[in-house]
Amino acid sequence: MLLGTAGGPPWWPDTTRAGIGSAVTVEDDVYVVDFGDGSGKRFKEAALVPRDLQTPGGLWGEETIRAMFLTHLHSDHVGDYFNYFMLGWYNGLTSRKTKDKIQVFGPGRRVDDAGNMVMEPIFQPPGQPAPDIPVINPENPVPGTVDMTNYLYQAFALDLNDRMRDNFKPDLRSLFDVHDIAIPKGIGYHPNDNPSPAGMAPIPIYQDDKVKVGATLVNHFPIVPTFGFRFDTADGAVTFSGDTAPNDNLVALATGSDILVHEVIDPAWVDVLFPPPVSPAEEALKNHLVTAHTLPEDVGRVAQRAGVKTLVLSHLVPGNAPADHWLAAGKTFSGKLVVGNDLMQLPVGATPRPR
Ligand SMILES: [Zn+2]
Ligand SMILES: [Zn+2]
């Protein structure tokens, strides 16, 4: 199920696409990948839980969420993340049938093998002086998912403490288990020098009776770490690219999947951003933008190499491009191409669930 299908931080005009978010459902269990702006409301609209299983106040059906996954910590992937926590209180989180905590997985700090924090380099277009850029939160300028979540608990302490005292809500921290994805040591990984080590084995990060989830490091430099995820179920396999340039680790992870949900960027939009004449500095900035993402024809090549049955384009940048701008992906891919839309349901194996 695609929740939101737009990529990037802008509130794109003239589109109803919400920010990026997807859900894998197996029977009544739900696993959510990424939390872009507006994707939380899409989760409610998706009615992922049959009505007769919903409880009063449980319209999000959060009783069935078992795990949440963040590909990376760019703002367009985390805008609604904490809404699943603090709005979840009023939308079914406390009436889940299971008492198991919701498991949350995302990137850890931007650190090297020795655990030293590594800032991203300042991008310097040719011919321009190095800018002097201040550092926010200098004691930890590169927080990971656990840090971010703890900072969010702190930032919203007034509301959280109030509702625990005034409405007797349970401590949110007792309902979620948040994990940083551990990157194996010795694979050559370094945030600046080697963000996506060639040939790395997928990292097993989560397993229950319905799904097995593996992660790989993709290339979305300078935001590092960034992961792609693969879900294996009894019905088949679905892989999510995260944000990435064409990437061999992602091809390896996706190989043999039924569905690959992949990000894509429209070159026509990039050209509009930099109308001619393009200065060398603008050319460098343009290349910088494109090298962290995947163009339509390249996404087709990735899917072809991975041998997936269906390629689903999501995280569309810009979110308001005409649908035909994405069809070039079909020139290089011989399987089924789907240009994603919000609330699109893509069955794997079994019949689609009733809405
Ligand atoms: Zn993104
Ligand atoms: Zn990103």
mmCIF file of all heavy atoms in Angstrom, residues 45 159-160 173-174 200 278 351:
data_model
loop_
_atom_site.group_PDB
_atom_site.id
_atom_site.type_symbol
_atom_site.label_atom_id
_atom_site.label_comp_id
_atom_site.label_asym_id
_atom_site.label_seq_id
_atom_site.Cartn_x
_atom_site.Cartn_y
_atom_site.Cartn_z
ATOM 1 N N GLU A 45 -6.726 7.050 6.116
ATOM 2 C CA GLU A 45 -7.603 6.873 4.956
ATOM 3 C C GLU A 45 -7.476 5.480 4.352
ATOM 4 O O GLU A 45 -8.401 4.971 3.737
ATOM 5 C CB GLU A 45 -7.279 7.924 3.897
ATOM 6 C CG GLU A 45 -7.678 9.332 4.290
ATOM 7 C CD GLU A 45 -6.941 10.398 3.506
ATOM 8 O OE1 GLU A 45 -6.268 10.059 2.504
ATOM 9 O OE2 GLU A 45 -7.017 11.556 3.916
ATOM 10 N N ASP A 159 3.398 18.671 26.543
ATOM 11 C CA ASP A 159 2.189 17.960 26.113
ATOM 12 C C ASP A 159 2.165 16.537 26.669
ATOM 13 O O ASP A 159 1.140 16.076 27.184
ATOM 14 C CB ASP A 159 2.140 17.914 24.578
ATOM 15 C CG ASP A 159 0.973 17.084 24.067
ATOM 16 O OD1 ASP A 159 1.134 15.851 23.898
ATOM 17 O OD2 ASP A 159 -0.105 17.658 23.852
ATOM 18 N N LEU A 160 3.290 15.857 26.596
ATOM 19 C CA LEU A 160 3.316 14.446 27.004
ATOM 20 C C LEU A 160 3.057 14.324 28.507
ATOM 21 O O LEU A 160 2.252 13.491 28.948
ATOM 22 C CB LEU A 160 4.653 13.805 26.618
ATOM 23 C CG LEU A 160 5.039 13.876 25.124
ATOM 24 C CD1 LEU A 160 6.346 13.120 24.874
ATOM 25 C CD2 LEU A 160 3.957 13.335 24.221
ATOM 26 N N ARG A 173 6.920 6.111 25.996
ATOM 27 C CA ARG A 173 8.209 5.412 25.902
ATOM 28 C C ARG A 173 8.074 3.924 26.202
ATOM 29 O O ARG A 173 8.942 3.136 25.835
ATOM 30 C CB ARG A 173 9.228 6.056 26.848
ATOM 31 C CG ARG A 173 9.549 7.505 26.491
ATOM 32 C CD ARG A 173 10.331 8.197 27.581
ATOM 33 N NE ARG A 173 9.582 8.208 28.849
ATOM 34 C CZ ARG A 173 10.035 8.753 29.978
ATOM 35 N NH1 ARG A 173 11.217 9.332 30.009
ATOM 36 N NH2 ARG A 173 9.297 8.704 31.067
ATOM 37 N N SER A 174 6.952 3.552 26.857
ATOM 38 C CA SER A 174 6.740 2.137 27.170
ATOM 39 C C SER A 174 6.052 1.400 26.020
ATOM 40 O O SER A 174 5.867 0.186 26.078
ATOM 41 C CB SER A 174 5.888 2.002 28.441
ATOM 42 O OG SER A 174 4.563 2.435 28.176
ATOM 43 N N MET A 200 28.476 -5.376 0.026
ATOM 44 C CA MET A 200 28.117 -5.703 1.417
ATOM 45 C C MET A 200 26.924 -6.664 1.442
ATOM 46 O O MET A 200 26.066 -6.641 0.559
ATOM 47 C CB MET A 200 27.786 -4.438 2.216
ATOM 48 C CG MET A 200 26.492 -3.750 1.795
ATOM 49 S SD MET A 200 26.070 -2.335 2.858
ATOM 50 C CE MET A 200 25.358 -3.173 4.277
ATOM 51 N N VAL A 278 23.821 28.278 -17.882
ATOM 52 C CA VAL A 278 24.161 27.662 -16.602
ATOM 53 C C VAL A 278 25.632 27.936 -16.302
ATOM 54 O O VAL A 278 26.505 27.568 -17.085
ATOM 55 C CB VAL A 278 23.886 26.146 -16.653
ATOM 56 C CG1 VAL A 278 24.261 25.486 -15.335
ATOM 57 C CG2 VAL A 278 22.427 25.885 -16.977
ATOM 58 N N THR A 351 -4.836 -12.477 -2.545
ATOM 59 C CA THR A 351 -5.784 -11.516 -3.078
ATOM 60 C C THR A 351 -5.740 -10.236 -2.238
ATOM 61 O O THR A 351 -5.382 -10.271 -1.071
ATOM 62 C CB THR A 351 -7.211 -12.081 -3.018
ATOM 63 O OG1 THR A 351 -7.424 -12.595 -1.716
ATOM 64 C CG2 THR A 351 -7.403 -13.158 -4.044
#
